[in-house]
Amino acid sequence: MPTRHIHLVRHGAADAFGELTEVGRRQSELVGRRLAALPVDAVWHSPLPRAERCARIIGAFLPGTTVREAAELVDHVPHVPADPGPAWAAFFDGYEAEEAAAGERLAAALVARFARPAETETHEVLVTHAYPVAWLLRHALDAPPARWLGLSCGNAALTAIEYRDGLPPTVLLYNDMGHLPAELRWTGFGPGARP
């Protein structure tokens, strides 16, 4: 049975202008080295510069692999809960209904394109942002839509999901930073103690 292997990568650390920092470039190189052992067919990236640059760095470790843009991977809010609760109320304050609907359409397009089996065995790397990673993980686990909230991931962390016909998705990895040395882990998160 053919398996579609999706390797999700949040882009490396970026500056306030959305460009990779030196830390982000190093993180991208290290995730590229880790993925080099796999038979990767394609690297897809968000249209945003930080994701594109990260994908190009990763692609350098995967000779012969195509690196292409996928609009569905852009950074976006995939779902606005009707009642986000007090912890998330400020995050969604002022979020317009049109914005929410556009985000849900984009989230549906993301799932339709990538969260499904393929006709042949394939390994694809998706370089994206924290929210699309959370949305695809939530979808793979068949969790309620609001559950994407709180599924954070670090810069250059790896999440792996497999899709096969007739079976639920298999989550192999989530937020794996094993390829990063301690000083390059946990970027992209707020302050706090980390394991």
Side-chain angles (χ1 to χ4, degrees):
M1 173 183 313
T3 302
R4 184 178 202 174
H5 305 266
I6 297 294
H7 309 281
L8 291 157
V9 177
R10 182 181 177 192
H11 61 79
D15 63 22
F17 301 103
E19 298 294 334
L20 287 185
T21 62
E22 183 55 40
V23 165
R25 287 188 287 279
R26 182 74 181 124
Q27 290 169 324
S28 301
E29 290 170 3
L30 291 168
V31 76
R33 288 183 194 280
R34 180 171 180 179
L35 293 169
L38 298 174
V40 175
D41 301 293
V43 177
W44 299 96
H45 63 80
S46 156
L48 299 179
R50 59 193 181 269
E52 180 188 5
R53 181 70 180 124
C54 181
R56 300 260 174 232
I57 293 169
I58 291 169
F61 292 90
L62 307 168
T65 302
T66 60
V67 178
R68 296 187 204 135
E69 182 178 304
E72 298 89 347
L73 294 171
V74 74
D75 200 6
H76 70 283
V77 171
H79 174 75
V80 178
D83 179 17
W88 290 99
F91 180 79
F92 293 110
D93 188 38
Y95 211 79
E96 301 292 330
E98 298 82 31
E99 289 176 285
E104 290 197 11
R105 284 191 301 275
L106 193 52
L110 174 66
V111 166
R113 182 165 182 185
F114 292 110
R116 60 180 174 74
E119 293 180 14
T120 60
E121 190 82 11
T122 183
H123 287 262
E124 296 166 273
V125 176
L126 279 53
V127 181
T128 187
H129 310 273
Y131 298 166
V133 172
W135 188 254
L136 288 170
L137 179 63
R138 179 225 55 88
H139 179 268
L141 297 172
D142 198 24
R147 192 58 193 99
W148 75 274
L149 294 166
L151 293 174
S152 300
C153 66
N155 293 118
L158 184 61
T159 296
I161 305 172
E162 294 178 341
Y163 299 91
R164 293 175 192 84
D165 264 332
L167 295 172
T170 302
V171 177
L172 299 176
L173 298 171
Y174 170 61
N175 199 41
D176 187 327
M177 294 180 269
H179 50 284
L180 301 174
E183 68 273 12
L184 298 181
R185 294 181 185 173
W186 299 107
T187 64
F189 286 86
R194 304 288 177 214

